[in-house]
Structure formats: structure tokens, C-alpha cells
Amino acid sequence: MTTDRHRACAAEQIFDQYLQSTHRRRTQERMMVLSCSESMKGHFTAEDVANQLQAGHNNVALATVYSTLDLLTHCGILTARHFDSGVTYYEKASTPHMHLVCTVCGKIRDLRDASIDAIVANRRFSSFTPTRYAMTVYGMCGACAKAVKNKSKSNKTISKSQKRK
Amino acid sequence: MTTDRHRACAAEQIFDQYLQSTHRRRTQERMMVLSCSESMKGHFTAEDVANQLQAGHNNVALATVYSTLDLLTHCGILTARHFDSGVTYYEKASTPHMHLVCTVCGKIRDLRDASIDAIVANRRFSSFTPTRYAMTVYGMCGACAKAVKNKSKSNKTISKSQKRK
DNA sequence: CTTTCTGCAAAAGCTTTGCACTCAA
DNA sequence: TTGAGTGCAAAGCTTTTGCAGAAAG
């Protein structure tokens, strides 16, 4: 709670400064997209943000959401991710970590592993200079494994909200 | 050379058997997409295949290319990859490996690292059961680093053929 | 012959762009 | 006041779908 609020506060300061230094305007829409992003749990899409804002009767055009998410990514508040679909997912920027993606229900879990970080940091890639890595492990989450075991006769129990494309 | 031809031969056998066992037809178009894929170096897109076939006066509709690449992926001849764009890249299936992607010119390099394989194979992910991983390291390739160093005044030397989206 | 596959074109899904109007500075 | 930002709609790109005609078995 407190941590989240602190983070949101810090994010606003970072964004303010970014807007100032790049001579952009501090519009209501941009601030709404920021606060909505900060309120999101885990991974979300541009459409998720637009929908959530709409639900709160704070309509912001999808095009504006996209452009603001782009700004938030550029100033380091968000990180953009691409998994096995054409959709761009955003998440609050944090320390490097890998993602566990369930290929059945689509759920995405974050997982930190120091040994991966160490490999990227210490390995030599000959003339290639690394700046960041994306590590995704695909498989089946516990819930889906249980569902498969329990009900092997009724096929496909994909929770609609999780399935994309 | 010889290895490539052997591989292509094996791929044709695998595909033939896959088509038979799934009661699909062995059409000229499917075989053309297969042989074109086998002749490709590194990573390629559906459009690359369609263009190459067209160049050889063997037109195959893009929709057919997509559907065949999908079959080839399902029977294990190709692997589909998604980097930081909405485009699907294909490559000949092989042992697990990571990708080095240059964020300047877009070049993709394969790199095998046993320690990554070992981490995924031996690590416990609590209730999550892994089936495969995708590890991508983003950064700058040697050629681009050199270009930046030599010509810091002339900006942007992105080779058109490599740049996507 | 029968049924699947292809080609073409149209549609779909995500994202970007163009333009007149709005509003932050 | 004024030019950057917004909303809306239209376009762009990659990928998928529908359907009449082609061809594999």
C-alpha cells in the first residue's frame, strides 16, 4: 500500500520532469494514463488502460493512451513486453526478471533469478554489447495442470479474460 | 552443404509423414514453402518466403504461406519467434538457444549457452511446469558499434533490409 | 468424384497517422 | 495567444477468414 503510493508519487515526479525537460505539456489525459498505469497489477495492455479509464468515466482516446504509454516507457516508468502474440504488454519498470507464461490460460508471472542476471552481466558476447535481456519460460501453471488432471474429459477451460488473440 | 541437404531431406520426410497422419494433402504449394524455408538462412518472415518464391516464379499466395508455415511449426520443422515487434519470425528448429538482437540494425544472432539450459532444466518453478524458454539479449552489434564510433556526425545508418516496422 | 486446398480479396486486430478543435503555458 | 495535444476516424501492417474454383487422392 504505502510502497505503492510512494512509487506512484515518485513516478509522477519522474514524469513531470520528463515532460518539462522534453518541452511537453502536462495534460489531464497524460496524468490520467499515468495514474491508471500505476494502479494496474502486473501486465496490462493499452486497451486495458483505456477500458479502466472509461469505467471510471475518464475517457481518454485509445490513440492518446498509446502515445502516453510510449512516453512512460521512454522515461523509464513502464517497460514494454512482447510475448507470443502481436500484443504489447506494459508493466511497471523494476529490476530485471524473467516471465513464466502459461500457454493454457495465458497467465504471466514474474520471477527473479540472480543466476540469469549474472550470466548476462558476466558473459562475453564477442563484439555484441548487451543492454537488457528478455527471458520467458513457457509452460503450464499449477491451476491449469490441476484442471487438466481433474477434468480430462471436459476439454478447454480457458478463462476468457486471460486468453488473447 | 551436405548437412543442409540432409536436413532438407529429413524435413521433407517429417512433413510427408505429418501430412499423412493428419490426413492432409501433399500439394505443390506446401512443398514449395517447405523447400523455400529450408533454403533460408537464419530468421525469416512469411513475407520473405512469399517474396523469394515469387522471385523464383513460383507464386504462392501469402495466406497459403502463412498456413503452411504454421503446419511446419506444428510438426517441429520450424520454430516461431517474436521479438520486439508484431512480426512473427521463423527459423529452422534446432537445439534451444538464445538470440542476440541488435537494436540499431535489427540483426539477429543465435547463441547457445549451456548454463541457461541448465537453469531452466534444473530450477523449480513451484507449481509451474516449463516446456520451453525464449531468451533474447538486446544490445548493439559490433558493426553498429564501429559505425557509431567512426561516424558520430552522420546519424542513422540503418540498413533498410534489416529494419522492420 | 469428393473433399481439401488454393488464390484472391475482404476482414480482423493492434497500432499509428492526419486533421480540426481544444487547452496548457 | 499559440502551438502542442486530443479525439475521432481513417489508414497501415501483419495475419486470418470466406468463398468459388482448382486439384489431390
Side-chain angles (χ1 to χ4, degrees):
Chain A
M1 293 287 105
T2 318
T3 318
D4 278 5
R5 204 176 301 144
H6 283 167
R7 197 209 124 92
C9 244
E12 200 171 314
Q13 283 182 20
I14 292 167
F15 196 36
D16 275 345
Q17 187 178 345
Y18 175 76
L19 291 176
Q20 253 184 37
S21 67
T22 56
H23 311 291
R24 289 174 214 268
R25 293 180 179 168
R26 189 188 201 278
T27 65
Q28 298 189 333
E29 288 82 359
R30 284 174 177 172
M31 298 322 281
M32 291 197 292
V33 171
L34 170 61
S35 73
C36 185
S37 299
E38 286 299 312
S39 77
M40 287 292 198
K41 304 285 177 209
H43 300 74
F44 55 91
T45 66
E47 220 181 337
D48 292 337
V49 172
N51 288 153
Q52 178 130 332
L53 286 171
Q54 193 163 45
H57 305 291
N58 290 314
N59 278 43
V60 176
L62 192 51
T64 305
V65 172
Y66 273 108
S67 98
T68 306
L69 290 177
D70 206 41
L71 294 179
L72 292 172
T73 301
H74 277 108
C75 69
I77 292 171
L78 298 180
T79 306
R81 304 268 173 207
H82 297 259
F83 302 109
D84 271 9
S85 83
V87 194
T88 305
Y89 287 86
Y90 296 88
E91 68 176 322
K92 291 170 217 165
S94 65
T95 54
H97 56 270
M98 64 171 120
H99 293 95
L100 305 185
V101 177
C102 176
T103 50
V104 178
C105 71
K107 196 164 62 187
I108 303 165
R109 213 181 94 196
D110 288 355
L111 186 65
R112 258 153 265 267
D113 188 314
S115 45
I116 301 273
D117 300 343
I119 288 169
V120 176
N122 302 325
R123 200 191 195 297
R124 301 287 330 269
F125 298 94
S126 59
S127 61
F128 185 92
T129 311
T131 55
R132 66 181 212 277
Y133 75 82
M135 170 78 173
T136 306
V137 180
Y138 294 94
M140 196 186 279
C141 71
C144 286
K146 199 180 286 182
V148 167
K149 226 179 286 176
N150 287 349
K151 293 202 167 193
S152 50
K153 56 178 180 180
S154 83
N155 36 5
K156 287 173 190 166
T157 317
I158 302 174
S159 76
K160 199 181 161 197
S161 63
Q162 295 282 8
K163 193 189 175 188
R164 266 190 217 281
K165 191 163 196 180
Chain B
M1 294 290 105
T2 319
T3 318
D4 278 5
R5 202 175 305 145
H6 283 167
R7 198 211 123 92
C9 242
E12 199 171 316
Q13 283 183 20
I14 292 168
F15 195 36
D16 275 345
Q17 187 177 346
Y18 175 76
L19 291 175
Q20 252 182 40
S21 66
T22 56
H23 310 292
R24 290 174 213 269
R25 292 179 181 170
R26 187 188 203 279
T27 65
Q28 298 189 333
E29 289 82 359
R30 285 174 177 171
M31 300 321 281
M32 290 198 293
V33 171
L34 170 61
S35 74
C36 185
S37 300
E38 287 299 312
S39 77
M40 287 292 198
K41 303 287 176 208
H43 301 75
F44 55 91
T45 67
E47 221 182 335
D48 291 337
V49 173
N51 287 153
Q52 178 130 334
L53 286 171
Q54 194 164 45
H57 306 289
N58 291 314
N59 279 43
V60 176
L62 193 50
T64 304
V65 172
Y66 273 108
S67 97
T68 306
L69 289 177
D70 206 42
L71 295 179
L72 292 172
T73 301
H74 277 109
C75 69
I77 293 172
L78 298 180
T79 307
R81 305 268 172 207
H82 297 258
F83 302 109
D84 271 8
S85 84
V87 193
T88 305
Y89 287 86
Y90 296 88
E91 68 176 322
K92 290 171 217 167
S94 65
T95 54
H97 56 270
M98 62 171 121
H99 293 95
L100 306 185
V101 177
C102 176
T103 51
V104 178
C105 70
K107 196 164 63 190
I108 303 165
R109 212 180 94 195
D110 289 356
L111 186 66
R112 260 152 263 268
D113 187 315
S115 45
I116 300 272
D117 300 343
I119 289 169
V120 176
N122 302 325
R123 201 191 194 294
R124 300 285 333 268
F125 300 94
S126 60
S127 61
F128 185 92
T129 311
T131 55
R132 67 179 211 277
Y133 75 83
M135 171 79 174
T136 306
V137 180
Y138 295 95
M140 196 187 279
C141 72
C144 286
K146 198 179 287 180
V148 168
K149 225 179 289 176
N150 287 351
K151 293 203 168 191
S152 49
K153 55 179 181 179
S154 82
N155 36 5
K156 287 172 190 166
T157 317
I158 301 174
S159 77
K160 200 181 160 196
S161 64
Q162 293 283 8
K163 192 189 176 188
R164 266 192 218 277
K165 192 165 194 177

